[in-house]
């Protein structure tokens, strides 16, 4: 009996993505073998700036970036909406937006401002940071605004395949996450949630149900990585990629005058940062890494099909 | 008696800018000789895009562009507001905005949208053209919105020296012009009006009073001028400049990715157009023309001081 238990434990340890209760992994639910390495290469912040739109569309065309999400309140929404209408196969979600983080270049809500005053700073824009936004946000107004963003996107001909949250504002506390999840469920859209977050974010396991669709892990770079180590960071992560569904969250734009103007006092996620992401994720080196490591690119559209 | 009359008529013809009733010309009211050639070199559309802000600030620094006006609803307002706070001597007015003319890149009102629905197109932005905007605009909502634009500018530390109207929407009919003038008078700010418009715009003479401050003429380029003739058009106009106050209305930006993205389907006032304006109005050739033709650059701030 003891041996059997040890053997069973060993099997469980070899198959960390099989739910302890024997439920299917997300990879299996998608119809892939449980050891498949599945990757969503996801570009955030579409609609924010022309530079972001242009670089991301170029990256989609390389076939190496499989998904992206759109910021509805931003000034360049119309440009990416036109792309979405012309490319209905593109895997485009909504990057629900409740912050406006660049000091020279700003945006505010889709909802009439007097109905969402808890979301606005003294200048009438969204707050600069996710912490301020979450601290002031009235959950009813958050619901109103994120539904308005989804409705505006649909009115412009965008058929979103998934939802996520710009700067993670909607993951800042349980109340906001519940609003987010309620709206996503009512729209039958999957939400960016990773199983690896469960350990740090105690409200996630209690809020989600087995019917919700979420992925295994998120991979993203951070400011501790030196610019010269950018490609090495991503290459190492891809070589070590575990089975299951991983989303690498990237930020694409060109290091041009517009992006430098927007991010002039904010090197993190700034113009040069985004150019480095663009260069790596459209490179032949990245394409080769995917092949050599037997990694398959997938989309949120596939995940969304699992929602009942 | 007849000789006297002919002599008087001859004097009047030599002094076309002296009011027929013997009132002072605007140049004289400003304290200049009646034959002084006074020029406001005015850059429109500040706040619209980073490219517009950067090129216009560069042009201000050349000393050859004396004035500009800001679009409060636009995404790059914060950048130009920071410039205005740091440069309180800059002659910055407000380019009151009721249209959003680029199809890839759009903006809407400062006022909560449900209070100014007559100003919005089906996508929730301002109309694309001044004709549509004027046809749909409820004058009360126009008043609400332009006051909101002025108040937001002041809240950001902009002290406007004058008002004008993006794409001329507020000059489209007498009702809108009366709203514009009422708001301007209550703010004690001068408005872009030229005496030469009186012949074409029949409501102007009846709406304005001798206490209002307006200039003699506006000079602007148009799409009939071939790109290669740009400098010649402006040079000829400057050489022929008549005495009095002229405003040359120009549009500055760089012919860069952001401006090309915004104006991709709209060569008039597009990226290359604005680069040509930038090149001429920051050139040594323009500086020399001003000197050789004894033209003095003035500002709207000087004109505003005449308002009682």
């Amino acid at each position: 009996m003891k041996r059997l238990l040890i053997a069973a434990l060993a099997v469980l340890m070899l198959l960390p993505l099989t739910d302890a209760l024997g439920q299917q992994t997300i990879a299996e639910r998608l119809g892939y073998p449980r050891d498949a390495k599945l990757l969503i290469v996801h570009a955030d912040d579409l609609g924010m700036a022309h530079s972001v739109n242009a670089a991301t569309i170029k990256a989609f065309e390389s076939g190496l970036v499989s998904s992206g999400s759109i910021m509805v309140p931003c000034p360049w929404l119309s440009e990416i909406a036109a792309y979405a209408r012309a490319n209905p196969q593109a895997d485009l979600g909504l990057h629900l937006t409740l912050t406006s983080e660049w000091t020279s270049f700003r945006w505010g809500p889709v909802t009439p401002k007097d109905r969402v005053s808890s979301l606005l700073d003294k200048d009438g824009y969204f707050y600069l940071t996710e912490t301020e936004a979450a601290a002031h946000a009235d959950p009813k107004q958050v619901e109103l605004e994120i539904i308005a963003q989804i409705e505006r996107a649909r009115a412009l001909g965008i058929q979103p395949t998934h939802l996520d949250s710009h700067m993670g504002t909607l993951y800042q506390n349980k109340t906001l996450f519940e609003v987010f999840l309620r709206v996503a469920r009512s729209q039958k859209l999957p939400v960016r949630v990773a199983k690896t977050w469960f350990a740090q974010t105690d409200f996630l396991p209690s809020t989600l149900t087995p019917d919700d669709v979420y992925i295994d892990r998120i991979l993203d770079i951070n400011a501790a990585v030196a610019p010269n180590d950018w490609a090495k960071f991503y290459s190492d992560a891809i070589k070590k990629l575990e089975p299951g569904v991983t989303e690498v969250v990237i930020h694409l734009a060109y290091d041009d005058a517009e992006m430098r103007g927007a991010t002039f006092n904010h090197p993190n996620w700034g113009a040069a940062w985004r150019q480095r992401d663009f260069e790596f994720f459209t490179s032949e080196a990245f394409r080769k890494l995917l092949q050599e490591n037997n990694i398959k690119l997938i989309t949120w559209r596939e995940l969304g099909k699992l929602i009942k």
Side-chain angles (χ1 to χ4, degrees), chain A:
Chain A
M1 183 63 192
K2 201 176 165 188
R3 265 192 212 166
L4 200 65
L5 194 66
I6 290 168
L9 274 172
V11 167
L12 278 175
M13 286 171 76
L14 284 169
L15 302 168
L17 296 165
T18 303
D19 189 283
L21 299 173
Q23 287 171 340
Q24 281 190 307
T25 64
I26 187 72
E28 287 171 322
R29 288 171 68 191
L30 288 168
Y32 295 97
R34 66 173 59 181
D35 63 349
K37 295 177 182 176
L38 306 171
L39 185 65
I40 302 169
V41 183
H42 190 280
D44 284 15
D45 298 357
L46 280 159
M48 172 200 156
H50 176 66
S51 184
V52 170
N53 287 349
T56 307
I57 290 169
K58 184 91 179 159
F60 287 158
E61 288 167 359
S62 75
L64 292 169
V65 172
S66 59
S67 187
S69 58
I70 297 172
M71 299 173 75
V72 173
C74 289
W76 289 85
L77 171 66
S78 294
E79 184 175 56
I80 197 67
Y83 176 83
R85 289 191 300 271
N87 295 274
Q89 84 296 348
D91 193 55
L92 293 167
L94 301 182
H95 201 48
L96 298 172
T97 300
L98 300 171
T99 47
S100 167
E101 71 271 35
W102 314 108
T103 53
S104 52
F105 167 60
R106 306 205 64 195
W107 50 78
V110 169
T111 316
K113 286 176 190 173
D114 45 357
R115 293 198 217 157
V116 290
S117 57
S118 75
L119 307 183
L120 307 181
D121 73 3
K122 65 174 176 42
D123 297 330
Y125 301 111
F126 286 137
Y127 284 99
L128 289 167
T129 66
E130 67 278 29
T131 322
E132 289 168 285
H136 292 91
D138 172 336
K140 286 203 190 81
Q141 296 183 4
V142 168
E143 187 154 356
L144 207 59
E145 174 61 16
I146 68 179
I147 290 172
Q149 292 183 14
I150 296 167
E151 285 175 353
R152 174 178 280 197
R154 292 199 195 276
L156 288 175
I158 299 166
Q159 304 298 339
T161 59
H162 62 289
L163 299 176
D164 49 45
S165 167
H166 184 55
M167 297 170 69
T169 307
L170 294 167
Y171 308 94
Q172 292 294 303
N173 59 54
K174 188 177 182 182
T175 310
L176 292 180
F177 184 69
E178 282 173 341
V179 169
F180 184 23
L181 208 58
R182 183 164 62 245
V183 171
R185 284 171 180 161
S186 75
Q187 300 273 339
K188 298 200 177 294
L189 289 174
V191 157
R192 177 185 287 166
V193 172
K195 218 166 163 181
T196 49
W197 292 353
F198 286 18
Q200 306 108 283
T201 315
D202 56 2
F203 57 77
L204 280 180
S206 62
T207 318
L208 292 161
T209 72
D211 280 342
D212 288 311
V213 168
Y214 45 90
I215 62 173
D216 292 303
R217 66 192 75 79
I218 301 283
L219 168 65
D220 57 356
I221 205 161
N222 60 68
V225 179
N228 283 340
D229 294 334
W230 220 254
K232 185 179 183 319
F233 172 90
Y234 284 127
S235 300
D236 288 351
I238 289 160
K239 286 175 195 163
K240 289 186 290 187
L241 200 74
E242 292 175 66
V245 178
T246 305
E247 179 175 46
V248 55
V249 172
I250 63 176
H251 298 83
L252 304 180
Y254 297 120
D255 185 12
D256 63 8
E258 179 192 21
M259 283 310 290
R260 288 183 194 181
T263 68
F264 74 101
N265 55 357
H266 197 310
N268 293 351
W269 297 278
W273 174 304
R274 290 168 191 249
Q275 177 81 42
R276 289 195 297 275
D277 267 6
F278 176 79
E279 277 163 21
F280 182 80
F281 285 97
T282 57
S283 69
E284 285 308 305
F286 175 53
R287 192 187 299 275
K288 212 171 148 197
L289 276 168
L290 293 178
Q291 287 162 353
E292 286 172 355
N293 293 278
N294 201 21
I295 294 166
K296 181 171 167 53
L297 293 191
I298 64 163
T299 62
W300 278 101
R301 179 173 279 115
E302 294 178 55
L303 287 155
K305 286 181 184 153
L306 302 180
I307 293 177
K308 285 158 201 157

